[in-house]
């Protein structure tokens, strides 16, 4: 008999500012020791569900709820956030907001301090916890000395220290590089196994989260749970795709190859999946039936960078002698470890920071001495966080801002803004306040406000982080279209499949060095490079290897076919 | 939680408010011709925090922020620190009249905010700062009042412009109860 | 960007004192310097402060920037005082020894010079101790020390948050203003006053929104980890006072008493060598 820890019965919740409920009639039980992954399109209510569990709803976000919710035998309605936090430990997505202490030591001890635990005991317990998450040598480090993955582990230690029965993660992987994400998932797995904790993970990167194995996947759509079953059953059907969620790539590949997937095939984890001869043959014959995709021809040089070096402080160089050339109309990805200097490179190109040495040449003209404003006419940079760019409350005004600065006539402005808004799928919203938009839509507003300046090169910093598959596809197709109109696109990303799918060239960064300039598929045939840059292969490689066909061509064909199917 | 205890949100608002005050006051000061005074946009932000979070956050964010600025230069000048806190306190009281949280920011709110900020700056720079300068440092009366009057005027002007623009923009991002609807 | 004074790790007696001790010492020292205008007291305090600074093993090159800044500030202030009130010294000390007449109402008197010297010393007397407090106290200990002197721990924690998030806010501000510059909005340009104010709101607005969002995230995180659960709270970086600390505290108390006694012995805040 399993012990039930969490149970929702006909639970409905409505935020005070909303005119309709965000969660409808939720029925869900989670037992002790289970591992559950929650997926669903952006805005479907996943975080809202999580907040109900840890008590932030209704204590921090007021609203109206109906039905029953009990957590570890306690009626959530009659409880307090303090009581609930003894049962449910939450690791939030925002690693900086959550790192409250001045140093790792203080942050891990934070909840013990609040419990008035004496100092000696605190020191022992924090040390013990730091050991578990492999941070013992970083106890005195402050947050800005840590990588994204390390901060994530500090947050975990800070929650684990209370020996909590339920661990809740809201998008733990969003900002981590592939290898750090994998390490984080493995750590969660290890902790779960040791202590029999119940683990609930909300994540858009389903395949990465599945690396640790899951007992159940809960699929949400528009505030309802539409599916609650084992991964294998879910993958054998097509509900994920219908809900706009990306399936693990190995599943998609098998489906394309016409293989009839059945729940008994252990589809839940690639490590457990057994490729029978039949499946391998299926994949092989699909592969030989696809014609290879066409390659684009080369064009003129647009931007070249030579021996570029830069350090934020004098002690440490953050970029070392970077050099590359970008041709007109290319679509390039920049990948690599957290903190490798990818965003820094973008800032140097746009003139946000001044390089210490080296040159940047645009269309044959040296631009190192040009101001931010002068470069902005040619190079548009869309930053990682849209909130840092949006400076007007209304969408129209936001996009019109740079035109108004240039003192164009109001008619010209309206015409150009409308054109860009239509291109970005935001025309219907032109009279809305920016605050009413979702994160992904905000990101598109920032792109619109850059596009309106008609740059020739567009640099995007992690355009798809935290976005669901449907919006992701929409968005990337839009970029592809822009690229087709002759805009050169460079994007920084941690998503390996995105890199494979949309870019023909990739720059690989590690610790301030550019260690490769290659094609995405060639990158993956170089194990050493992958390790150094903290990257990870996609499961398509594994499939190709198993089926004994050339991985590079297999992936190229997969992508071409995938695009046909989706459009 | 006790009624008269600071909520966690207020504590964090004090901390972040002070950090903002510090960063703006330390790095974005535009110098002016009169000694010891600069055109300070940090008071516009402090005003905004006062209006949103109330007088306790206003007074403490101003106090802590200003102490940190002074310490980062080397030594505190207490009379002006206290004046900043007084301004934060007074502008915080305007939260009773200016309800931006609900998304309305019309003529009434603009006037309410500006009357409060004028009173706040006047009390801080024309009364508190000079009087303390005289008491603590025995500085000449005419010097401290001239200095205070200049500070008051420049702060009032910058808060009136920047503070009002910010509040109006902020109010537009707020949404009233039950007001969000999906429409095409 | 100007250099900022912040904690410098070093092996010294001063560094070993608890934050609480240094805070109390600094507060008492400031009070003493605020109350007194007695030249003798101020000079003693200044040199004791310098001695302590020497003991702390901090180097003067590490504070050169701050000293230059304070020196300039002081100089401007002195000029201001002289311009506005050349007879302030005469008024205070009740005698008038003219050194040289400049022009119009401006005459240099010994009393004025002496008054300005005292004014300067009053500021200088605090500087070494203030610098010690800033440079020799680990910021982690700030909040714990505030709580140590009886400040409500919630307010003490607000200070900790301010210190923790200053670098983040600074980074936000930089990135936001860079992004706005890329769209043609500039603070540094010689625009009219009105335009400059408007432009600064374009930068401040995203900063405000980002900060409000940050407040929400941090307070949620703190709430979830039980902040404010109890009436009290312990601090992992807090330290117990040792003998060394008590000696320092006694010194601080003695400074205040000494300065009060010497200052008010003759019933006036000022030491008057002219009578
Ligand atoms: N504090 C709030 N007040 C009012 N409405 C809110 C609030 N927070 C979220 N919502 C609304 O509730 C809906 C669900 O939001 P939620 O954050 O749960 O989505 P999510 O599934 O976690 O999405 P994502 O994957 O983008 O994080 C959204 O439409 C959002 O507009
Ligand atoms: N403003 C700054 N001041 C000082 N150091 C900085 C600053 N911004 C970034 N750094 C440091 O520079 C290095 C490179 O940072 P950058 O943001 O370019 O990394 P990244 O490759 O974009 O990483 P991620 O994948 O996590 O976004 C990091 O070590 C970071 O700590
Ligand atoms: Mg969410
Ligand atoms: Mg980055």
């Amino acid at each position: 008999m399993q012990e039930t820890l969490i149970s929702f019965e006909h639970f409905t919740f409505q935020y005070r500012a909303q005119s309709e409920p965000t969660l409808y009639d939720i029925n869900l039980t989670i037992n002790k020791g289970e591992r559950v992954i929650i997926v669903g399109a952006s805005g479907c209510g996943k975080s809202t569900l999580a907040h109900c569990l840890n008590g932030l709803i209704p204590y921090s976000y007021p609203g109206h709820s109906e039905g029953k919710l009990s957590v570890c035998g306690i009626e959530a309605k009659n409880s307090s956030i303090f009581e609930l936090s003894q049962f449910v430990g939450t690791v939030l997505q925002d690693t900086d907001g959550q790192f409250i202490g001045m140093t790792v030591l203080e942050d891990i001890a934070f909840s013990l301090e609040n419990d008035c635990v004496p100092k000696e005991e605190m020191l022992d317990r924090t040390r013990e916890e730091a050991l578990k998450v492999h941070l013992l040598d970083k106890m005195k480090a402050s947050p800005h000395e840590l990588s994204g993955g390390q901060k994530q582990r500090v947050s975990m230690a800070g929650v684990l220290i209370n020996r909590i029965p339920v661990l809740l993660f809201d998008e733990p992987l969003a900002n981590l590089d592939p290898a750090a994400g994998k390490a984080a998932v493995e750590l969660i797995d290890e902790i779960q196994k040791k202590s029999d904790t119940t683990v609930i993970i909300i994540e858009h990167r389903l395949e990465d989260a599945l690396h640790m194995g899951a007992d159940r996947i809960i699929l949400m759509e528009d505030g309802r749970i539409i599916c609650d079953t084992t991964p294998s059953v879910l993958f054998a059907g097509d509900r994920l795709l219908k809900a706009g969620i990306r399936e693990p790539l190995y599943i998609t590949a098998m489906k394309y190859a016409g293989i009839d997937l059945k729940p008994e095939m252990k589809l839940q984890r690639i490590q457990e999946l057994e490729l029978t001869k039949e499946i391998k043959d299926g994949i092989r014959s699909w592969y030989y039936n696809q014609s290879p995709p066409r390659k684009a021809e080369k064009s003129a040089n647009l931007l070249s960078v030579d021996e570029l070096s830069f350090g934020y402080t004098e002690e440490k160089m953050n970029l070392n002698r970077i050099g590359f050339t970008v041709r007109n109309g290319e679509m390039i990805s920049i990948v690599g470890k957290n903190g490798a200097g990818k965003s820094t490179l973008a800032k140097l190109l746009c003139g946000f920071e001044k390089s210490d040495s080296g040159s940047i040449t645009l269309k044959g003209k040296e631009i190192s001495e040009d101001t931010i404003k002068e470069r902005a006419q040619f190079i548009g940079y869309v930053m990682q966080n849209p909130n840092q760019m949006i400076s007007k409350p209304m969408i129209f005004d936001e996009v019109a801002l740079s035109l108004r600065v240039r003192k164009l006539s109001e008619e010209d402005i309206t015409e150009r803004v409308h054109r860009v808004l239509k291109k970005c799928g935001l025309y219907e919203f032109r009279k809305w306040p920016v605050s009413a938009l979702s994160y992904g839509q905000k990101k598109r507003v920032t792109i619109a406000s850059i596009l309106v300046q008609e740059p020739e090169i567009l640099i995007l910093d992690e355009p798809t982080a935290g976005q669901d598959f449907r919006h992701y596809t929409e968005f990337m197709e839009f970029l592809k279209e822009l690229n087709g109109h002759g805009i050169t696109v460079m994007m920084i990303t941690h998503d390996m499949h995105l890199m494979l799918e949309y870019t023909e060239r990739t720059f690989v960064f590690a610790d301030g060095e550019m260690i490769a300039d290659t094609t995405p598929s060639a990158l993956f045939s170089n194990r050493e490079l992958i390790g150094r840059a903290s990257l990870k292969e996609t499961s398509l490689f594994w499939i190709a290897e198993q089926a004994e066909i050339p991985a590079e061509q297999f992936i190229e064909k997969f992508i071409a076919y995938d695009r046909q199917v989706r459009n | 939680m006790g009624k008269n205890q600071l909520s966690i949100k207020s504590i964090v608002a004090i901390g972040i408010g002070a950090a903002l005050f510090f960063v703006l006051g330390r790095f974005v000061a535009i110098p002016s011709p009169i000694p010891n005074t600069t055109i300070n946009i940090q008071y516009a932000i402090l005003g905004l925090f006062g209006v949103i979070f109330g007088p306790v956050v206003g007074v403490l964010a101003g106090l802590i922020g200003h102490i940190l600025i002074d310490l980062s230069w080397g030594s505190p000048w207490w009379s002006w620190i206290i004046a900043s806190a007084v301004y934060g306190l007074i502008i915080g009281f305007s939260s009773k009249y200016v309800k931006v949280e609900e998304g309305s920011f019309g003529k009434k709110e603009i006037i309410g905010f500006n009357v409060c900020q004028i009173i706040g700056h006047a009390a801080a720079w024309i009364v508190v700062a000079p009087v303390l300068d005289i008491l603590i440092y025995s500085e000449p009366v005419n010097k401290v009042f001239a200095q205070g009057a200049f500070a008051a005027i420049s702060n009032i002007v910058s808060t009136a412009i920047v503070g009002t623009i910010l509040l109006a923009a902020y109010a537009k991002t707020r949404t009233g109860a039950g007001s969000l609807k999906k429409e095409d | 960007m100007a250099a900022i004074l912040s904690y410098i790790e070093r092996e010294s007696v001063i560094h070993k004192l608890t934050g609480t001790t240094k805070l109390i010492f600094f507060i008492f020292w400031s009070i003493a310097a605020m109350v007194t205008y007695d030249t003798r007291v101020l000079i003693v305090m200044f040199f004791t402060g310098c001695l302590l600074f020497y003991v702390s093993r901090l180097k003067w090159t590490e504070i050169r920037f701050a000293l230059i800044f304070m020196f300039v500030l002081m100089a401007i202030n002195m000029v201001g005082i002289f311009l506005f009130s050349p007879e302030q010294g005469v008024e205070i000390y009740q005698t008038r020894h003219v050194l040289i007449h400049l022009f119009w109402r401006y005459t240099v008197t010994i009393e004025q010079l002496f008054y300005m010297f005292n004014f300067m010393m009053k500021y200088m007397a605090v500087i070494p101790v203030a610098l010690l407090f800033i440079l020799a106290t680990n910021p982690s200990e700030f909040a714990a020390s505030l709580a140590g002197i009886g400040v409500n721990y919630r307010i003490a924690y607000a200070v900790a948050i301010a210190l923790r998030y200053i670098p983040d806010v600074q980074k936000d501000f930089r990135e936001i203003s860079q992004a706005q510059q890329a769209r043609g909005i500039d603070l540094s340009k010689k625009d009219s006053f009105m335009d400059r104010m408007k432009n600064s709101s374009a930068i401040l607005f995203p900063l405000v929104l980002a900060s409000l969002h940050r407040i929400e995230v941090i307070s949620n995180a703190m709430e979830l980890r039980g902040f404010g659960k109890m009436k009290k709270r312990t601090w992992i970086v807090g330290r117990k006072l040792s003998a060394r600390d008590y000696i320092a505290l006694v010194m601080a108390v003695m400074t205040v008493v000494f300065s009060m006694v010497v200052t008010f012995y003759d019933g006036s805040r000022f030491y008057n060598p002219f009578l």
Side-chain angles (χ1 to χ4, degrees):
Chain A
M1 179 63 211
Q2 278 188 311
E3 187 187 338
T4 299
L5 287 190
I6 291 165
S7 96
F8 287 91
E9 280 173 48
H10 302 292
F11 186 85
T12 296
F13 176 78
Q14 179 173 351
Y15 284 104
R16 191 145 74 192
Q18 294 285 356
S19 55
E20 276 167 50
T22 295
L23 296 179
Y24 295 93
D25 195 30
I26 301 288
N27 289 297
L28 175 67
T29 53
I30 295 175
N31 297 326
K32 186 167 175 351
E34 267 193 307
R35 302 147 171 248
V36 178
I37 297 178
I38 302 180
V39 292
S42 176
C44 70
K46 303 180 297 294
S47 299
T48 308
L49 189 77
H51 291 338
C52 293
L53 285 178
N54 60 29
L56 283 178
I57 286 177
Y59 300 100
S60 206
Y61 299 108
H64 175 72
S65 66
E66 274 167 35
K68 262 178 72 173
L69 164 60
S70 70
V71 177
C72 297
I74 291 185
E75 200 60 40
K77 240 182 235 162
N78 312 329
S79 178
S80 71
I81 196 162
F82 295 141
E83 194 177 11
L84 285 175
S85 73
Q86 290 172 7
F87 302 114
V88 182
T90 314
V91 179
L92 302 165
Q93 177 188 338
D94 184 334
T95 43
D96 274 308
Q98 172 164 236
F99 197 127
I100 309 161
M102 211 82 89
T103 58
V104 172
L105 174 76
E106 287 161 78
D107 195 65
I108 297 181
F110 184 76
S111 66
L112 297 185
E113 293 181 327
N114 296 329
D115 279 334
C116 288
V117 175
K119 186 176 165 179
E120 273 62 41
E121 191 189 332
M122 277 202 277
L123 283 174
D124 289 344
R125 279 172 68 182
T126 34
R127 201 155 292 140
E128 202 179 299
E129 223 51 56
L131 184 68
K132 271 191 216 156
V133 298
H134 318 295
L135 279 174
L136 209 47
D137 54 335
K138 294 271 180 207
M139 289 300 248
K140 280 200 174 141
S142 53
H144 59 262
E145 295 167 45
L146 299 176
S147 74
Q150 286 170 331
K151 280 186 217 166
Q152 192 78 39
R153 279 186 271 150
V154 174
S155 311
M156 277 167 67
V159 167
L160 287 171
I161 201 159
N162 281 326
R163 305 195 179 100
I164 274 176
V166 182
L167 269 178
L168 180 62
F169 295 87
D170 196 348
E171 301 198 32
L173 308 178
N175 291 312
L176 300 186
D177 66 51
K182 187 168 164 213
V185 170
E186 280 167 0
L187 185 63
I188 296 174
D189 182 42
E190 188 188 317
I191 286 165
Q192 196 278 336
K193 286 209 180 102
K194 260 191 220 150
S195 52
D196 202 26
T197 321
T198 305
V199 174
I200 304 171
I201 298 184
I202 297 171
E203 187 53 67
H204 287 295
R205 282 159 68 174
L206 177 60
E207 184 170 345
D208 290 339
L210 269 178
H211 177 71
M212 66 160 204
D215 299 310
R216 275 196 291 161
I217 295 184
I218 290 161
L219 175 60
M220 292 183 67
E221 193 170 61
D222 288 334
R224 295 172 207 274
I225 292 181
I226 57 167
C227 196
D228 171 2
T229 177
T230 62
S232 239
V233 173
L234 190 64
F235 295 158
D238 60 354
R239 309 204 59 166
L240 274 181
L241 275 185
K242 280 202 184 127
I245 310 295
R246 162 168 275 159
E247 293 172 327
L249 291 168
Y250 59 91
I251 300 286
T252 318
M254 290 197 287
K255 283 186 180 166
Y256 286 169
I259 292 157
D260 187 20
L261 296 181
K262 301 222 180 48
E264 310 80 73
M265 291 163 80
K266 292 198 183 152
L267 300 171
Q268 68 271 27
R269 255 177 112 190
I270 190 159
Q271 296 98 312
E272 292 169 38
L273 183 65
E274 241 175 78
L275 287 192
T276 58
K277 181 156 182 320
E278 192 190 338
I279 298 178
K280 285 182 191 168
D281 288 343
I283 289 170
R284 235 172 279 154
S285 70
W286 176 84
Y287 169 73
Y288 289 116
N289 281 332
Q290 295 291 314
S291 51
R294 282 184 303 118
K295 290 248 162 69
E297 63 266 33
K298 311 215 151 126
S299 52
N301 285 355
L302 180 61
L303 173 80
S304 43
V305 166
D306 194 33
E307 294 278 310
L308 195 68
S309 295
F310 172 76
Y312 284 101
T313 54
E314 268 159 33
E315 297 93 62
K316 191 175 164 251
M317 294 307 276
N318 297 96
L319 281 179
N320 266 319
R321 310 177 63 176
I322 306 296
F324 57 80
T325 301
V326 176
R327 283 182 294 272
N328 212 339
E330 277 191 301
M331 193 134 165
I332 294 175
S333 53
I334 301 176
V335 297
K337 225 182 189 149
N338 282 124
K342 304 181 295 295
S343 303
T344 307
L345 173 67
K347 286 183 189 162
L348 282 171
L349 292 180
C350 304
F352 287 11
E353 306 286 350
K354 284 260 175 286
S355 59
D356 296 335
S357 64
S359 68
I360 304 172
T361 319
L362 184 75
K363 293 193 283 190
K365 189 178 154 278
E366 161 69 38
I367 57 164
S368 295
E369 293 305 314
D370 291 6
T371 62
I372 298 183
K373 211 164 144 181
E374 283 161 349
R375 294 195 213 183
Q377 296 166 8
F378 306 104
I379 308 177
Y381 176 35
V382 181
M383 301 209 293
Q384 205 158 341
N385 177 357
N387 297 325
Q388 287 187 334
M389 298 183 64
I390 294 174
S391 64
K392 294 278 172 201
M394 307 305 286
I395 293 174
F396 184 93
D397 297 339
E398 175 63 23
V399 179
L401 178 68
S402 57
L403 301 182
R404 288 201 173 126
V405 171
R406 285 196 226 154
K407 308 231 172 0
L408 296 190
S409 76
E410 205 53 34
E411 285 144 51
D412 266 2
I413 293 178
T414 313
E415 198 249 296
R416 277 173 72 169
V417 170
H418 282 182
R419 200 171 55 211
V420 168
L421 285 177
K422 273 180 201 149
K423 233 192 219 174
C424 299
L426 290 167
Y427 187 68
E428 307 90 274
F429 304 113
R430 64 194 176 280
K431 295 200 175 117
W432 281 31
V434 177
S435 59
L437 299 182
S438 77
Y439 185 88
Q441 288 169 325
K442 272 191 202 160
K443 193 105 192 181
R444 267 188 281 166
V445 171
T446 60
I447 294 186
S449 64
I450 294 292
L451 279 181
V452 83
Q453 305 186 42
E454 299 177 350
E456 291 171 40
I457 304 179
L458 191 60
I459 306 177
L460 298 124
D461 209 336
E462 316 223 357
T464 58
Q467 306 228 32
D468 64 62
F469 190 45
R470 183 175 294 147
H471 289 105
Y472 163 119
T473 307
E474 228 172 68
F475 186 81
M476 288 311 302
E477 289 304 322
F478 165 62
L479 280 185
K480 191 92 202 154
E481 199 189 312
L482 288 177
N483 184 238
H485 291 308
I487 297 183
T488 306
V489 177
M490 296 172 79
M491 60 187 173
I492 299 171
T493 183
H494 288 308
D495 185 333
M496 294 296 102
H497 191 67
L498 178 81
M499 168 187 84
L500 281 166
E501 186 172 3
Y502 287 97
T503 65
E504 57 260 29
R505 217 174 136 198
T506 187
F507 298 162
V508 185
F509 279 74
D511 305 318
E513 316 260 350
M514 181 160 144
I515 56 174
D517 168 1
T518 172
T519 63
S521 39
L523 165 62
F524 286 109
S525 49
N526 187 341
R527 285 259 149 79
E528 191 246 325
L529 206 55
I530 294 180
R532 261 173 78 198
S534 205
L535 305 175
K536 207 181 90 189
E537 295 168 344
T538 65
S539 51
L540 293 177
F541 277 88
W542 183 83
I543 295 252
E545 240 166 46
Q546 295 285 311
E548 288 157 11
I549 44 180
E552 277 186 40
Q553 283 93 318
F554 173 67
I555 290 169
E556 275 171 18
K557 288 181 177 177
F558 174 89
I559 287 166
Y561 186 79
D562 188 47
R563 182 161 305 130
Q564 268 175 31
V565 173
R566 264 156 48 198
N567 299 337
Chain B
M1 234 173 285
K3 266 181 273 142
N4 38 20
Q5 267 199 345
L6 274 175
S7 72
I8 293 185
K9 201 152 191 171
S10 307
I11 295 166
V12 180
I14 293 169
I16 298 294
L20 271 171
F21 189 91
F22 174 86
V23 170
L24 296 177
R26 184 64 163 73
F27 301 112
V28 199
I30 307 162
S32 81
I34 309 260
N36 283 355
T37 46
T38 41
I39 295 172
N40 301 306
I41 41 176
Q42 71 264 40
Y43 292 103
I45 293 272
L46 185 58
L48 186 83
F49 268 62
V51 172
I52 299 175
F53 296 104
V56 180
V57 172
V59 67
L60 288 172
L63 184 76
I64 296 169
H66 201 144
I67 291 181
L68 291 178
I69 291 183
D70 275 13
L71 285 181
S72 80
W73 285 121
S75 190
W77 195 270
W78 293 104
S79 41
W80 289 62
I81 290 173
I82 292 168
S84 275
V86 167
Y87 163 75
L89 179 74
I90 295 175
I91 193 78
F93 283 119
S94 71
S95 61
K96 295 225 167 62
Y97 315 102
V98 186
K99 301 254 182 253
V100 277
E101 284 298 294
E102 274 126 53
S104 57
F105 196 70
K107 228 182 222 139
K108 185 174 142 264
E109 283 80 12
I110 293 180
I111 294 172
F113 171 72
N114 279 295
V115 168
C116 274
Q117 68 102 347
I118 290 172
I119 297 175
H121 279 310
W125 312 112
I126 304 182
V127 181
V128 177
V131 167
L132 287 176
D133 270 344
I134 293 168
L135 286 179
I136 300 175
Y137 301 100
S138 288
E139 284 199 70
V141 174
N142 50 1
K143 179 207 170 219
V144 291
F145 280 105
Q147 202 171 296
F150 176 82
I153 291 168
S154 85
N155 287 340
I156 285 171
V157 172
S158 64
T159 310
I161 303 170
V162 179
T164 313
I165 297 178
L166 286 181
L167 265 177
Y170 172 73
K172 280 195 195 157
T173 69
R174 302 299 304 173
T175 40
S179 65
L180 288 179
K181 235 189 208 125
K182 281 187 191 157
E183 50 191 327
D184 310 275
Chain C
M1 207 162 272
I4 253 195
L5 291 178
S6 61
Y7 177 57
I8 300 175
E9 207 165 329
R10 206 55 48 92
E11 272 296 311
S12 85
V13 184
I14 309 275
H15 284 73
K16 283 197 187 113
L17 293 172
T18 66
T20 313
T21 313
K22 273 175 279 199
L23 181 63
I24 298 178
F25 198 94
F26 169 59
I27 291 173
F28 275 34
W29 203 268
S30 300
I31 292 174
M34 252 192 268
V35 173
T36 186
Y37 230 110
D38 192 304
T39 324
R40 296 160 301 182
V41 175
L42 290 171
I43 290 180
V44 170
M45 282 176 71
F46 175 68
F47 282 106
T48 318
C50 289
L51 187 70
L52 290 174
F53 192 84
Y54 176 76
V55 171
S56 76
R57 300 226 192 130
L58 292 163
K59 296 192 199 73
W60 94 272
T61 44
E62 287 164 336
I63 52 162
R64 184 168 42 195
F65 178 82
L67 288 185
I68 293 172
F69 171 80
M70 285 186 282
F71 185 76
V72 171
L73 190 84
M74 210 9 69
I76 298 174
N77 231 322
M78 303 277 238
V79 172
I81 288 177
F82 187 72
L83 286 181
F84 274 93
S85 189
E87 299 292 318
Q88 182 81 358
V90 174
E91 225 167 87
I92 290 173
Y93 297 108
Q94 303 288 322
T95 57
R96 192 162 196 274
H97 298 81
V98 177
L99 275 184
I100 183 174
H101 175 77
L102 296 176
F103 55 91
W104 188 32
R105 62 190 187 115
Y106 294 111
T107 306
V108 180
T109 61
I110 299 184
E111 284 78 5
Q112 181 71 6
L113 289 183
F114 189 66
Y115 157 71
M116 294 203 326
F117 171 72
N118 277 282
F119 177 75
M120 185 179 80
M121 283 314 290
K122 210 166 146 72
Y123 190 55
M124 303 263 283
V126 192
I127 290 177
V129 173
L131 285 175
L132 273 186
F133 176 63
I134 303 155
L135 298 174
T137 314
N138 189 335
S140 290
E141 262 190 74
F142 257 69
S145 5
L146 278 173
I149 63 167
V151 173
N152 181 324
Y153 80 78
R154 289 159 171 270
I155 292 172
Y157 213 83
V159 177
I161 290 175
L163 291 170
R164 156 71 181 84
Y165 283 98
I166 281 174
D168 292 42
V169 170
Q170 207 176 328
K171 196 165 173 232
D172 269 359
F173 178 77
R174 254 169 88 84
E175 289 184 347
I176 289 169
S177 52
Q178 288 165 341
Q180 299 307 326
Q181 274 177 53
R183 302 170 68 189
I185 289 181
D186 216 328
L187 263 189
S188 52
K189 259 203 9 216
K190 310 246 167 319
D191 282 332
S192 72
F193 176 74
M194 204 50 196
D195 280 348
R196 210 158 25 180
M197 290 288 123
K198 270 195 197 140
N199 285 351
S200 57
S201 359
I203 295 174
L204 290 183
F205 181 63
L207 187 63
V208 165
L209 288 190
S211 303
L212 292 174
H213 177 71
R214 181 161 267 152
I215 290 174
E216 187 171 309
V217 176
I218 300 170
S219 52
N220 282 346
M222 286 172 64
E223 196 111 46
L224 287 173
R225 289 162 75 187
F227 185 85
K229 200 192 256 182
M230 312 248 198
K231 289 224 166 58
K232 278 196 324 203
R233 157 175 222 283
T234 47
W235 306 79
I236 196 161
V237 289
R239 286 185 285 163
K240 286 218 178 65
L241 301 191
S242 64
R244 193 183 305 125
D245 293 293
Y246 288 107
I247 296 170
L249 289 176
V250 169
M251 249 180 87
V253 174
M254 272 165 43
T255 310
V256 174
V257 173
F258 162 78
S259 93
M260 301 288 162
V261 170
V262 176
T263 307
F264 293 107
Y265 188 69
D266 55 0
S268 153
R269 252 178 118 194
F270 298 94
Y271 166 67
N272 193 341
F274 302 103
L275 289 180

